[in-house]
Amino acid sequence: MTDVAAVERIGDEISALEGEFNRQIQIRPELSRKLVSFQANKEIPGYRWFRYKEGFSAPLIERIIVDLEITKGRVLDPFAGSGVTLFVGCSKGLDATGIELLPVGCELIRVRKAVMQAADKAALAGAVTKFRKLAHWKDLAPKSVFPHVRITEGAFPPVSERKLCAYLEDVDEVDDPLVKSLLRFAAMCVLEEISFTRKDGQYLRWDYRSPRGNGGRPFDKGTIKPFDDAIDHKLAQIVDDLSNSADLFGNSALGSLNGNLDLFEGSCLSVLPKLHGLEFDAVITSPPYCNRYDYTRTYALELAFLGIANEPLKTLRQTMLTCTVENRPKTDLDSQISAELLQRVRHAVSQQSALNAILDYIDDRKSGGLLNNNGIPRMIRNYFLELSIVVAEIGESLKPGAPFVMINDNVRYEGVEVPVDLILSDIAKAFGYDVDAIWVLPVGKGNSSQQMGAHGREELRKCVYVWRKAKARSAKKSKRESALQKSG
Ligand SMILES: C[S@@+](CC[C@H](N)C(=O)[O-])C[C@H]1O[C@@H](n2cnc3c(N)ncnc32)[C@H](O)[C@@H]1O
């Protein structure tokens, strides 16, 4: 097939999907980028401690819970990140279950949960203030060194690195476990600010002043804060938030949890099959996007800080949901997921015709040596396979009629839009979900710099999908559909 014919075929397939979901695709002006992304968290006590750039905003989750009338029961986030769904859910009186693989996200959730459960927040704030005022670390000559991994070597100016180590040694002397973990956590929160690096989606960018330089175009990060200033500011912010913890809604962002919060640390691909006994009343989640962003590189400083060494870091990279060209196919899916479900998922994904048209085209470009990275088709294929497994697994535990809300971006490769929203919504239907709505942000996402040259500023949709587990009658229908599929 010629390129022109292949692109036309993709266009036809996407138009067919747009037709199928015409009623559900709704532009929602109130869903500004700020509301949907981490930006809106920047002023909220507790949430502003650590810049988890991929996190969504607490006000968005609050809004979804209110609009969809999720008033009781248990909410699940299988990609919990910094735990926004869990904490907002609990603040509204829901129980919350989160699954998160990246130790940085797990640490954010653990520490925040412990702080919220602290019986006496004033005493906690007092202990942090005392430590900050005494500042013993400033006079310590550290005996320890920072546990770098290969990709973080040289990330800090030497003076700051020594101060950081002295601070951590000082923290080690603190008796109270909660005060100690909060003080350690404060240091994790300033690593980016005191380093020569900036998180930049696919990797860490290195400032021109660092020993590594930046290879290509010199990058100027701007101010690199000395450790003492950065930690002083962070500790003051934490104390402030512990003392005045009202969030933007006047709720207490760091107040007590009004529901149970359970965190499973690991991959949702292996945890979800073990949760079939639980029943969920809602899912609100945002998976990694199919955009090559590598969390294990952008959060490398924090991972090293948490003691993740080189080899475990590589294993972690491969265990993450496939979304980078480095991800190899996961060979352990058969041992984690039931053969029956895996077969249904493979079948549903292989039948999705828009995805097939896109992959055929990109495979052809690969055969012609035209891709800038040959891992792209494998990444797209496995992204949809793995995410569909998650959707199907959750279908086993979600109550009939319960909402499944997903925030995700569409992407573009080789000049072709991959309408992740429509493809996933179509696959979700095969697993007993009704597609209630696909809310589209009024201004979509621009192209990556590589794509920009060829395609200008064509917008890619950023969406909030609202699916619902079909009620009993249509669930039967979907069982019939899947039986038909299996026989087909
Ligand atoms: C877009 S972020 C979610 C951010 C989250 N909504 C928040 O508010 O912080 C996607 C998350 O999925 C996590 N993740 C990636 N692969 C995973 C897997 N296999 N199992 C569980 N979590 C995974 C990443 O570490 C990341 O925290």
Coordinates of all heavy atoms in Angstrom, one line a residue, residues 52 54-56 77-84 99-102 266-268 286-288 295 319-321, ligand 1:
Y52 N 5.1 17.0 41.6 CA 4.9 15.7 40.8 C 4.2 16.2 39.6 O 2.9 16.3 39.5 CB 4.0 14.7 41.6 CG 4.2 13.3 41.1 CD1 5.4 12.7 41.2 CD2 3.1 12.7 40.5 CE1 5.5 11.4 40.7 CE2 3.3 11.4 40.0 CZ 4.5 10.7 40.1 OH 4.7 9.5 39.6
E54 N 3.4 15.2 36.8 CA 2.3 14.4 36.0 C 1.1 14.3 36.8 O 0.1 13.7 36.4 CB 2.9 13.0 35.7 CG 4.0 13.0 34.7 CD 5.3 13.4 35.3 OE1 5.4 13.5 36.6 OE2 6.3 13.8 34.6
G55 N 1.1 14.8 38.0 CA -0.1 14.7 38.9 C -1.3 15.5 38.3 O -1.1 16.5 37.7
F56 N -2.5 15.1 38.6 CA -3.6 16.0 38.2 C -4.0 16.8 39.4 O -3.5 16.5 40.5 CB -4.8 15.3 37.5 CG -5.2 13.9 38.0 CD1 -5.3 13.6 39.3 CD2 -5.5 13.0 37.1 CE1 -5.7 12.4 39.7 CE2 -6.0 11.7 37.5 CZ -6.1 11.4 38.8
D77 N -7.6 4.1 42.2 CA -6.7 4.6 41.2 C -5.6 3.7 41.0 O -4.7 3.6 41.8 CB -6.2 6.0 41.7 CG -5.4 6.7 40.5 OD1 -5.1 6.0 39.6 OD2 -5.1 7.9 40.7
P78 N -5.6 3.0 39.8 CA -4.5 2.0 39.6 C -3.2 2.6 39.2 O -2.2 1.9 39.1 CB -5.1 1.1 38.5 CG -6.0 2.1 37.7 CD -6.6 3.0 38.8
F79 N -3.2 3.9 38.9 CA -1.9 4.6 38.6 C -1.9 5.8 39.6 O -2.0 7.0 39.2 CB -1.9 5.1 37.2 CG -2.0 4.0 36.2 CD1 -3.2 3.7 35.5 CD2 -0.9 3.2 35.8 CE1 -3.3 2.6 34.6 CE2 -0.9 2.2 34.9 CZ -2.1 1.9 34.3
A80 N -1.7 5.6 40.9 CA -2.1 6.6 41.9 C -1.1 7.8 41.9 O -1.5 8.8 42.4 CB -2.1 5.9 43.2
G81 N 0.1 7.6 41.4 CA 1.0 8.8 41.4 C 1.2 9.3 42.8 O 1.6 8.7 43.7
S82 N 0.9 10.6 42.9 CA 1.1 11.3 44.2 C -0.1 11.1 45.1 O -0.2 11.7 46.2 CB 1.4 12.8 44.0 OG 0.4 13.3 43.2
G83 N -1.1 10.4 44.6 CA -2.3 10.1 45.4 C -3.4 11.1 45.4 O -4.2 11.0 46.4
V84 N -3.5 11.9 44.4 CA -4.5 13.0 44.5 C -5.9 12.3 44.5 O -6.8 12.8 45.4 CB -4.4 13.9 43.2 CG1 -5.5 15.0 43.3 CG2 -3.0 14.6 43.2
I99 N -2.9 2.0 43.6 CA -1.7 1.1 43.2 C -0.7 2.1 42.6 O -1.1 2.9 41.7 CB -2.2 0.1 42.2 CG1 -3.4 -0.7 42.7 CG2 -1.0 -0.9 41.9 CD1 -4.0 -1.7 41.7
E100 N 0.5 1.9 43.0 CA 1.6 2.8 42.4 C 2.9 2.0 42.4 O 3.2 1.3 43.3 CB 1.7 4.1 43.1 CG 2.8 5.0 42.7 CD 2.8 5.4 41.2 OE1 1.8 5.8 40.6 OE2 3.9 5.2 40.5
L101 N 3.6 2.1 41.2 CA 4.8 1.4 41.1 C 6.0 2.2 41.4 O 7.0 1.7 41.9 CB 4.9 0.9 39.6 CG 6.1 0.1 39.2 CD1 6.3 -1.1 40.1 CD2 6.0 -0.3 37.7
L102 N 6.0 3.5 41.1 CA 7.2 4.3 41.3 C 7.4 4.6 42.8 O 6.5 5.2 43.4 CB 7.0 5.6 40.5 CG 8.3 6.4 40.2 CD1 9.2 5.7 39.2 CD2 8.0 7.8 39.8
G266 N 3.4 -1.5 43.7 CA 3.8 -2.5 42.7 C 3.1 -2.2 41.4 O 2.5 -1.1 41.3
S267 N 3.2 -3.1 40.5 CA 2.6 -2.8 39.2 C 1.1 -3.2 39.2 O 0.7 -4.3 39.7 CB 3.2 -3.6 38.1 OG 2.5 -3.5 36.9
C268 N 0.3 -2.3 38.7 CA -1.2 -2.7 38.7 C -1.4 -3.9 37.8 O -2.4 -4.6 38.0 CB -2.0 -1.5 38.2 SG -1.6 -0.9 36.6
S286 N -5.3 8.4 35.9 CA -4.6 8.9 34.7 C -3.3 8.1 34.5 O -2.4 8.1 35.3 CB -4.2 10.4 35.0 OG -3.4 10.9 34.0
P287 N -3.3 7.3 33.5 CA -2.2 6.4 33.3 C -1.0 7.2 32.7 O -1.2 8.3 32.3 CB -2.7 5.4 32.3 CG -3.7 6.1 31.5 CD -4.3 7.1 32.4
P288 N 0.2 6.6 32.6 CA 1.2 7.2 31.7 C 0.6 7.4 30.3 O -0.2 6.6 29.9 CB 2.3 6.2 31.7 CG 2.1 5.3 32.9 CD 0.6 5.3 33.1
Y295 N 9.5 8.0 33.5 CA 9.4 8.4 34.9 C 10.7 8.0 35.6 O 11.1 8.7 36.6 CB 8.3 7.8 35.6 CG 6.9 8.3 35.2 CD1 6.3 7.9 34.0 CD2 6.2 9.3 35.9 CE1 5.1 8.3 33.6 CE2 5.0 9.7 35.5 CZ 4.4 9.3 34.4 OH 3.2 9.7 34.0
T319 N 9.3 -2.6 34.2 CA 8.0 -3.0 34.8 C 6.9 -1.9 34.7 O 5.7 -2.2 34.7 CB 8.2 -3.3 36.3 OG1 9.4 -4.0 36.5 CG2 7.1 -4.0 37.0
M320 N 7.4 -0.7 34.4 CA 6.4 0.4 34.2 C 5.5 0.1 33.0 O 5.9 -0.6 32.1 CB 7.1 1.7 33.9 CG 8.1 2.2 35.0 SD 7.4 2.8 36.5 CE 6.8 4.4 36.0
L321 N 4.3 0.6 33.0 CA 3.4 0.4 31.9 C 4.2 0.9 30.7 O 4.8 2.0 30.7 CB 2.2 1.2 32.1 CG 1.1 1.0 31.0 CD1 0.1 0.0 31.6 CD2 0.4 2.2 30.6
Ligands
LIG1 C1 0.0 10.3 34.9 S1 0.8 9.6 36.4 C2 -0.5 9.6 37.5 C3 -0.5 10.8 38.4 C4 -1.6 10.9 39.4 N1 -2.9 11.0 38.8 C5 -1.4 12.0 40.4 O1 -2.3 12.8 40.6 O2 -0.3 12.1 41.0 C6 0.9 7.9 36.0 C7 1.4 7.1 37.1 O3 1.4 5.7 36.8 C8 2.5 5.1 37.4 N2 2.8 3.8 36.8 C9 3.4 3.5 35.6 N3 3.4 2.2 35.4 C10 2.7 1.6 36.4 C11 2.3 0.3 36.7 N4 2.6 -0.7 35.9 N5 1.6 0.1 37.8 C12 1.2 1.1 38.7 N6 1.6 2.4 38.4 C13 2.3 2.6 37.3 C14 3.6 6.1 37.3 O4 4.6 5.9 38.2 C15 2.9 7.4 37.5 O5 2.9 7.8 38.8

